[in-house]
Amino acid sequence: MKFEVTILGSSSATPIFNRNPSAQVLNANERLFLIDCGEGTQQQLLKNSIKAQRLNHIFISHLHGDHYLGLVGLLSSLHLYGRTRPMNIFGPPELKEILDIQFKYSQTDLRYPIEFHATQVQRNELIYENPDIRVETFPLEHRIPCTGFRFNQKKRLPKILKEKVDELHIPIDMIPLIKRGVDFTDKQGVIHAAAELTQEADPPRSYAYCSDTICNWKYIEQIQGVSTLYHEATFMHDMAARAAETFHTTSLQAAQIAEKAGAEQLLLGHFSARYRELEPLQDEARTVFSNSRLALEGHTFTV
């Protein structure tokens, strides 16, 4: 099962130094999930050969412009492309009002329906589920209401051993049953235990997205044991006072959070425009959490 994230934007408030505001696409078993949609997201999708028409779910963390100002343009383009399938949008309740007024005064009647799902910041919430994955929100603490998102793979059925299928001439219609634990009886009447014909699937993986938040440790439990953590690292730690004032996190604090949460991999993003070179933020994070990486645009990371 493919489980990877492509970074479309990792700048903070403004696009600068060829960095765009926040946006990324998570590919979960060839289902694409857009997480935040800053200005320029359409261009970044094109640049990275990701077809916008494949998107059916969009998650918006909060209503600062660098996280959603690309959304109306993207939705409008999908309308012009002739989209008819519904688009599911998950975000703050006020986002629906913003979308409605934009389309009202541009006299745009979308050819496709928007299924809007309001998030809330008081508690954790399961907001989406399909056969492969569950998506949960959790509260972050920023200057305005903000939620994080955690994408959890579901435990998959065991894998059938191909050599056993060939050796025993197992019918195709028996394979799903064997995966579910049903033993197989061959033509000679010999029973083969399902456990002998399968191997365990890869362990489920998880991805957590922490967009904008002060380092308050309150969400550690919600990201505990995550495979890959994307966490904002707007400033280096010599700017800790500024980070606290603006309800942001430093690269050092992001590393401390990853370590405390027991994450396997940390992706640093949401970089301040004051930094042209980003390696110092990565170096700082690695003094605490060695598997820290920069969420550079155009890069795809395996979760």
Side-chain angles (χ1 to χ4, degrees), residues 26-54:
L26 183 70
N27 184 330
N29 201 20
E30 297 303 337
R31 289 185 172 93
L32 303 187
F33 300 89
L34 179 64
I35 310 172
D36 276 345
C37 187
E39 182 183 356
T41 295
Q42 287 190 81
Q43 290 290 337
Q44 289 297 92
L45 288 168
L46 290 168
K47 184 177 180 179
N48 288 278
S49 301
I50 299 173
K51 294 181 179 179
Q53 285 281 31
R54 292 183 61 193

Side-chain angles (χ1 to χ4, degrees), residues 37-102:
C37 187
E39 182 183 356
T41 295
Q42 287 190 81
Q43 290 290 337
Q44 289 297 92
L45 288 168
L46 290 168
K47 184 177 180 179
N48 288 278
S49 301
I50 299 173
K51 294 181 179 179
Q53 285 281 31
R54 292 183 61 193
L55 297 171
N56 294 311
H57 302 84
I58 300 174
F59 300 84
I60 303 297
S61 61
H62 66 295
L63 292 180
H64 278 156
D66 55 319
H67 293 262
Y68 85 94
L69 282 181
L71 182 58
V72 170
L74 175 61
L75 297 176
S76 297
S77 292
L78 290 172
H79 163 75
L80 295 174
Y81 295 156
R83 181 189 179 98
T84 57
R85 296 192 317 279
M87 176 65 78
N88 290 273
I89 299 178
F90 303 79
E94 297 83 3
L95 179 58
K96 186 178 188 304
E97 179 183 355
I98 292 171
L99 296 176
D100 288 344
I101 200 167
Q102 289 273 356

